[in-house]
Amino acid sequence: MGRVLRISAGCVAGLLILCLSKRIDASELAFALAFPNLSEGIFWEVKEELPITSEMDTTVVENEVVGAAAVSEAEEELRRQLAEENQLSFETLLEEEETSQLKQLEEPLEVAYTKEQLMDYDFLISRIYNVDSGTKTSPQQLNAEKLLNYEFSIDRQTEGPQILIYHTHSQEDFIDSIPGDESTTIVGMGSYLTTLLQQQGFTVIHNKDVFDMADGKLDRNKAYTRAEPVISEILAENPSIQLVIDLHRDGVGENVHLVKEIGGKPTAQVMFFNGMSYSAKNGAISYLPNPYIEHNLALTMQMKLASDNLVPGFARKIYLKSLRFNLHLHPGAMLIEAGAQTNTVEEMRNAMEVLARVLTDVLYS
């Protein structure tokens, strides 16, 4: 994960200009700018989560005399490039680590939740949610009464596509996937889920674009960044879409097998996932805004409770992590981790059947 950010020749030239004009120590400035997001002991804890411009501008111009001339074009270009790199490096810091990295199986949860339990924040945190150490939440944010009042039902008579399924990490596969056989990968699971939902009367777009490959090699460093404009365009062209699913599979310890017998069939478990745009260390991540965080939280809570009611044990705890994972693109956006690398293709296909049932229960109108 720790990767050295490459600074272009133009950036180096601009850096020298900065050092000469500001009399700033070159080694200190180069280190600070080249490694804006170094962790302190834990790789997912960002040392500084700078806004794209404000704090960086302060650093660069803090010694300027009021009313001084505007900075040179070279400085402005350096600033722009560094700001962009800072945003992308932070947004991609966890792109390979958005999964739970579960080392052991979770304990079975109660499924007959009472209203009192759902109104109890401590109960939610201990039994419904798994909050990553890199983020935080609050009783105001996880207000079950408010979240359960959101309406996500889809009128299947609505003209045009209603559901979009895509895969930020299209190359994810399973323990017995067949190389070159798309049907045995996460994309194949998306195709099967699409068919199942279509059989329930929904109109579904399944986007199979690849976002985690570069120059013919696996590269997830900027997968979410690559996916964003593509998904945004699909949504702009299809305003009828009401649900957006980014379908993944989890990454777990090699001795962990996320499987449960459902209806007599071995079935991979799923996990609903939320990006909070919030750092436990530095607070709200202002340059990764998501106006739909509450909508996203409402959707995953309703999915989790519906799953626990219909098929106890199928859905794991909802996972909350610090970044946004493109969930800002739609109020009905949802990231689902289905199974893991240790599951079989059969277990995954069985999971898609149960997932389609849970989705239909929440979305039926």
Side-chain angles (χ1 to χ4, degrees):
M1 292 293 295
R3 56 175 67 84
V4 177
L5 298 177
R6 297 182 177 85
I7 300 179
S8 65
C11 289
V12 172
L15 182 60
L16 292 174
I17 293 173
L18 273 175
C19 294
L20 292 173
S21 63
K22 306 295 178 188
R23 297 185 298 279
I24 299 173
D25 183 84
S27 62
E28 292 181 4
L29 183 59
F31 185 85
L33 296 180
F35 302 91
N37 293 320
L38 279 181
S39 62
E40 295 182 337
I42 303 177
F43 69 86
W44 59 74
E45 271 193 324
V46 180
K47 184 174 182 180
E48 289 190 26
E49 296 164 2
L50 299 178
I52 294 179
T53 56
S54 60
E55 292 187 31
M56 189 172 294
D57 287 348
T58 300
T59 302
V60 173
V61 303
E62 61 183 351
N63 294 321
E64 285 284 4
V65 177
V66 175
V71 294
S72 68
E73 290 184 7
E75 289 174 322
E76 286 289 358
E77 176 62 16
L78 174 64
R79 237 186 246 173
R80 183 192 66 76
Q81 293 189 37
L82 289 175
E84 181 176 299
E85 287 185 4
N86 183 59
Q87 179 188 17
L88 294 180
S89 64
F90 180 52
E91 178 140 21
T92 60
L93 182 62
L94 298 179
E95 283 188 346
E96 296 179 22
E97 301 298 334
E98 91 281 13
T99 54
S100 64
Q101 297 301 317
L102 185 69
K103 303 302 180 185
Q104 59 186 7
L105 293 174
E106 298 170 356
E107 295 180 2
L109 302 179
E110 295 179 28
V111 294
Y113 308 120
T114 66
K115 181 178 180 180
E116 288 71 23
Q117 287 174 324
L118 295 178
M119 297 302 120
D120 182 345
Y121 177 72
D122 291 333
F123 177 84
L124 292 178
I125 291 300
S126 64
R127 306 305 297 269
I128 305 296
Y129 290 95
N130 187 354
V131 183
D132 184 81
S133 61
T135 193
K136 284 184 180 179
T137 186
S138 69
Q140 292 73 32
Q141 194 168 47
L142 298 183
N143 183 320
E145 183 173 13
K146 181 168 56 176
L147 297 180
L148 294 177
N149 278 330
Y150 275 83
E151 178 60 57
F152 293 102
S153 62
I154 294 176
D155 182 355
R156 287 175 286 185
Q157 302 305 312
T158 300
E159 190 172 336
Q162 300 137 1
I163 300 174
L164 168 64
I165 298 173
Y166 73 103
H167 313 272
T168 301
H169 294 164
S170 65
Q171 303 305 298
E172 291 175 332
D173 56 11
F174 309 99
I175 194 167
D176 59 348
S177 293
I178 301 171
D181 185 351
E182 179 185 271
S183 69
T184 66
T185 68
I186 194 63
V187 175
M189 299 307 114
S191 295
Y192 189 39
L193 180 60
T194 296
T195 298
L196 294 168
L197 291 173
Q198 288 172 337
Q199 291 173 353
Q200 295 298 319
F202 296 106
T203 303
V204 185
I205 293 177
H206 182 206
N207 178 273
K208 298 183 180 182
D209 287 3
V210 174
F211 305 114
D212 55 348
M213 295 283 288
D215 299 323
K217 297 180 181 179
L218 183 67
D219 180 6
R220 292 180 178 152
N221 290 341
K222 296 181 181 178
Y224 286 91
T225 301
R226 297 185 193 107
E228 182 176 2
V230 176
I231 303 308
S232 295
E233 183 177 359
I234 294 173
L235 293 173
E237 293 174 350
N238 299 276
S240 58
I241 291 175
Q242 299 169 60
L243 181 73
V244 180
I245 299 173
D246 185 7
L247 186 64
H248 294 244
R249 64 107 170 103
D250 202 353
V252 300
E254 291 301 322
N255 294 324
V256 175
H257 192 194
L258 301 172
V259 66
K260 180 176 179 62
E261 185 171 305
I262 298 175
K265 298 190 293 186
T267 304
Q269 296 170 296
V270 303
M271 179 176 71
F272 305 114
F273 185 105
N274 285 98
M276 306 302 289
S277 292
Y278 191 94
S279 160
K281 181 177 180 181
N282 294 329
I285 305 173
S286 59
Y287 54 90
L288 298 178
N290 179 1
Y292 304 126
I293 287 179
E294 189 167 283
H295 294 77
N296 302 152
L297 287 169
L299 180 56
T300 54
M301 176 178 276
Q302 292 185 28
M303 288 292 295
K304 166 65 173 167
L305 297 184
S307 176
D308 287 352
N309 181 56
L310 291 169
V311 278
F314 175 60
R316 299 156 58 195
K317 292 180 180 179
I318 300 169
Y319 204 86
L320 306 183
K321 205 147 190 174
S322 58
L323 303 186
R324 68 182 181 186
F325 305 99
N326 283 341
L327 296 175
H328 67 297
L329 297 179
H330 196 279
M334 179 167 49
L335 193 158
I336 302 176
E337 300 277 2
Q341 83 280 8
T342 54
N343 284 104
T344 67
V345 171
E346 177 190 8
E347 291 164 353
M348 289 300 303
R349 285 178 63 85
N350 293 339
M352 293 303 100
E353 295 172 3
V354 179
L355 180 58
R357 179 182 169 190
V358 175
L359 282 165
T360 301
D361 184 75
V362 173
L363 303 175
Y364 182 83
S365 174

